Amino acid sequence: MTEKKETVKKTATSKAAAEKKTTPRRSAAKKVDFEINAETVGFKAGDVYQALATAEKSLSVAEIAKAAKITEQETLLGMGWLFKEGKIKAEENKIMLA
């Protein structure tokens, strides 16, 4: 009888392991790997400014990020710099040069 119980436990464990393998994994959030300092944020501001100047129209944050080939987080950092300097303005969730 003892052997039978052990077999049942092993089967249950194998079944649980099999279920875990078929469960889809969630992808981890992407990390932004750059140091946040005045120099790097200034470069991101330049990327944002160039994307807006090239587009010659107002763009959303996602559109700016795509045009500048940077992440949305980096775009927001650059936008903060440009807002403080009065270089950009926002109207109806779109960003444009001031």
Side-chain angles (χ1 to χ4, degrees), residues 35-45 81:
E35 188 175 335
I36 297 177
N37 58 38
E39 184 178 14
T40 57
V41 176
F43 284 131
K44 300 309 171 190
W81 180 292

Side-chain angles (χ1 to χ4, degrees), residues 41-52:
V41 176
F43 284 131
K44 300 309 171 190
D47 294 339
V48 170
Y49 191 90
Q50 289 300 319
L52 288 168

Side-chain angles (χ1 to χ4, degrees), residues 30-32 34 44 48 60-80 95:
K30 291 183 180 179
K31 279 187 169 181
V32 177
F34 69 96
K44 300 309 171 190
V48 170
S60 69
V61 172
E63 291 169 332
I64 295 168
K66 185 176 179 180
K69 297 178 184 169
I70 58 177
T71 66
E72 287 188 23
Q73 294 168 332
E74 293 169 323
T75 302
L76 293 171
L77 279 171
M79 285 173 49
I95 311 303

